[in-house]
Amino acid sequence: MTDQAPAPKLPPVHEAWLPREHPLHRPRHGARQKLAVISALVFFAAPTLLYAIGVRPAEIENHPLASFPSLGDGWGFFRGFDAWATDNLSFRPAAITAADGVSRGVFGEPPTFGGQPDTGPLGTGPTPAPLPDHRPEQPGQGPAQAADVSVVEGTDGWLYLDADMKAKCEPSRPFAETLGLLKELEKAVEDSGREFVLLVAPDKSTMVPEHLPPNYPNKECSDAARTELWKQVGEAGAVDLRGELQSVAKGLGRPAYFKLDTHWTDEGAMAMVRRTAEAVRPGVTATWTTRPGAKFSIPADLPGIQGKRGNREGTLYSLRPDGTTDRTQGPRTDLSTPFHRESDPIEGTIDDPTLFLGDSFTGVSVPYLSAIFTDATVLSYLSSVERPTATINEIADHEVVVFEIVERALAVGGGTWLTADFVNRVRTELAKRPIRR
C-alpha cells in the first residue's frame, strides 16, 4: 500500500494577492464587477452629490417626493427604496423630456411611461373608473382602480383621460343594472324620511369633444355607449349637469373643464353646487351673487400620467348666499375619511345636516358647496369598500344625502362597493333611525 500525497494547502494569503501566474490566483474584482460597483456608486451617490451643490429634484407627478425608507421597515426598505431612488433623481425631468423627444421624433408617437397617476388623496388627481368586478382588488390598496391609465392627446394641447372611453367599452354590468342599484339606494334613503340627490358629473370628453383627435382607442363603442348612458340617466331621474355646464361654457367663451386636467373648472364646480342646491331647496339660489377673485395655477393631473409637468390655471370666486357675505371656504382634497364643516345660517344657505358622498369632482367643488351648506360632511363613496359600517352610519346621521358619481365610474359599473348587499344594509340601518319632518 503506497502512501498518499498530502492534500495541497490553501496559501496563507488571499487568492487575489497571489502572483498572477499562480494557479490559484483570482482577481478580487473582474472587469464586470468593477463596472457594476462603479455604476452602483454613481447611482447611490448622485442624488446626494447633486443635492450638495444645490441641485434639487422636482415634484413632477403631482405628489410629494418619496422620503428615504427606514431600516426598521424590514423587507419594506427595498420597496421604499425604489420609490425614493426614482423620485430623487435630479435629472429625471430632463430624461423624461429626452425620452419624449426620441419617441415622437423617431417613432412618431408619444411615449408610454407605464404608470398610473398618483392620485394622492382623493380629490387631487383624476378619478379612474373602477375596475370591473371580476378583477381582484389589490391587497391594502382599497378599491380597485383602472390599471394602465393613460392619456389621449387632443388638438391644441388638450389632454383627456383614456378611462373616459375605456370604461364605456368594458362595463362590468349593464348601465341599467348600475343605475337600478343607485335608485334602490335612493329609495332606501327616502323611505327613511331623508332627502336624496343623485347627480352624474360628465366626463371631460363628453363636454369638450371638439379637441379630441380624429381617431383614438375605443372611439366608436364609447360614442354609442355615451348616448345610451345619458338616455338612461335621464330616465332614472338623476341630475344631468350637461345643460348647466354648456351654459357656463357659452357664457365664458371657453369650456368649463381644464385643458390639462380631467376636472371641471371653478365655474363648473359652482354650476354643480347651484344645481344641487336647487334640487334640495327650489328657489334658494335667488339671492346668490358671485364675483371673480384671484387667479391660481396648480399642478394638473393628466401631465403627471405622462411623466411631465403642467398646471391647471383658473379663477377663484367669492360666493355670497345672501348677496353680500362671502362664504367661500378653503379646499379639502382628502375625502378618504369624513370631514365636517359648519357655519352660521344666513339667507340663501341650506341648513339641514347634509352628507356629500362623491369622488374627486366633489373634492374640487368643496370651497363652494361648503359656502352654501352650513352643516356639511364630505366623504368619498369609495370609503364604503373598507369601512362600510362607518359609511352607512354617516348616511344615517344626516337628513340630506347628495350622491355624486363621475360618468366613467357609472359607466363601468360603479365599483365593487355598489352591491345589493350594501344597499340592503343601508335600508336596514336607516329603517331603525327614521327622520321625522
Side-chain angles (χ1 to χ4, degrees):
M1 184 174 182
T2 59
D3 294 334
Q4 292 184 351
K9 295 181 179 180
L10 292 174
V13 297
H14 192 280
E15 58 189 8
W17 294 353
L18 294 172
R20 291 182 178 275
E21 60 272 12
H22 194 286
L24 295 180
H25 170 75
R26 294 291 186 275
R28 183 181 293 274
H29 298 297
R32 291 182 180 179
Q33 288 178 304
K34 289 179 179 177
L35 179 61
V37 170
I38 293 172
S39 299
L41 288 173
V42 170
F43 178 80
F44 286 111
T48 302
L49 293 175
L50 290 170
Y51 190 94
I53 62 174
V55 179
R56 300 291 187 268
E59 296 179 8
I60 65 172
E61 291 182 349
N62 229 6
H63 71 107
L65 298 175
S67 58
F68 193 80
S70 170
L71 293 174
D73 294 338
W75 290 108
F77 172 86
F78 297 99
R79 293 190 296 271
F81 183 82
D82 180 68
W84 171 84
T86 299
D87 275 4
N88 286 273
L89 287 176
S90 300
F91 47 82
R92 187 179 176 215
I96 289 173
T97 301
D100 182 79
V102 170
S103 181
R104 295 175 189 275
V106 177
F107 300 104
E109 60 184 26
T112 300
F113 291 102
Q116 267 188 221
D118 181 84
T119 58
L122 288 167
T124 59
T127 301
L131 290 172
D133 290 343
H134 65 273
R135 289 167 148 176
E137 296 175 14
Q138 298 300 313
Q141 295 183 4
Q145 297 293 314
D148 300 323
V149 175
S150 60
V151 168
V152 173
E153 296 188 354
T155 60
D156 297 329
W158 280 72
L159 301 180
Y160 296 83
L161 191 67
D162 80 325
D164 283 10
M165 283 63 74
K166 188 174 182 180
K168 298 177 180 66
C169 297
E170 299 179 7
S172 63
R173 54 189 165 202
F175 299 154
E177 184 178 336
T178 302
L179 279 169
L181 285 170
L182 289 174
K183 294 300 291 181
E184 284 296 315
L185 179 63
E186 177 180 16
K187 186 175 186 302
V189 172
E190 292 183 339
D191 284 349
S192 71
R194 296 167 173 83
E195 293 185 62
F196 187 91
V197 177
L198 171 62
L199 62 90
V200 181
D203 289 336
K204 177 179 174 179
S205 57
T206 294
M207 298 308 304
V208 197
E210 61 268 27
H211 290 289
L212 283 166
N215 294 294
Y216 49 87
N218 300 307
K219 181 181 186 300
E220 292 184 5
C221 70
S222 64
D223 285 347
R226 181 181 294 110
T227 300
E228 180 62 24
L229 181 146
W230 284 105
K231 175 185 175 184
Q232 293 189 27
V233 165
E235 293 172 350
V239 173
D240 181 350
L241 291 170
R242 291 178 299 167
E244 279 81 2
L245 293 170
Q246 287 172 348
S247 296
V248 168
K250 184 176 180 180
L252 293 171
R254 57 174 170 80
Y257 285 72
F258 291 107
K259 186 175 185 176
L260 301 181
D261 197 278
T262 194
H263 298 100
W264 48 39
T265 61
D266 284 52
E267 295 90 353
M270 285 195 297
M272 172 266 205
V273 172
R274 181 179 292 273
R275 179 66 185 275
T276 302
E278 282 291 333
V280 176
R281 294 289 179 273
V284 72
T285 65
T287 57
W288 291 12
T289 62
T290 61
R291 185 177 301 169
K295 302 288 185 180
F296 67 85
S297 180
I298 60 177
D301 54 28
L302 295 177
I305 300 175
Q306 299 179 303
K308 298 180 181 180
R309 284 180 283 185
N311 288 341
R312 63 187 192 194
E313 300 176 348
T315 302
L316 297 172
Y317 286 81
S318 63
L319 179 51
R320 297 172 166 83
D322 61 355
T324 303
T325 310
D326 180 13
R327 299 293 289 268
T328 306
Q329 299 192 35
R332 169 76 181 215
T333 58
D334 185 359
L335 309 187
S336 60
T337 56
F339 73 94
H340 183 71
R341 284 195 172 161
E342 194 167 349
S343 56
D344 294 331
I346 60 174
E347 185 180 7
T349 60
I350 296 175
D351 309 317
D352 297 326
T354 302
L355 173 66
F356 284 83
L357 275 175
D359 47 42
S360 59
F361 280 76
T362 291
V364 299
S365 306
V366 162
Y368 306 108
L369 67 86
S370 54
I372 300 303
F373 292 82
T374 63
D375 188 353
T377 301
V378 185
L379 177 64
S380 167
Y381 55 73
L382 298 178
S383 67
S384 60
V385 175
E386 294 184 348
R387 296 180 296 277
T389 300
T391 303
I392 292 170
N393 285 334
E394 287 292 340
I395 296 174
D397 288 341
H398 292 82
E399 298 179 14
V400 180
V401 177
V402 178
F403 188 96
E404 173 272 316
I405 184 169
V406 67
E407 178 184 347
R408 55 179 166 269
L410 175 66
V412 84
T416 56
W417 68 274
L418 184 57
T419 63
D421 178 67
F422 178 77
V423 174
N424 288 333
R425 290 184 62 184
V426 171
R427 181 182 295 108
T428 300
E429 183 61 29
L430 297 190
K432 298 176 184 176
R433 301 163 61 180
I435 295 292
R436 300 284 188 263
R437 290 182 178 272

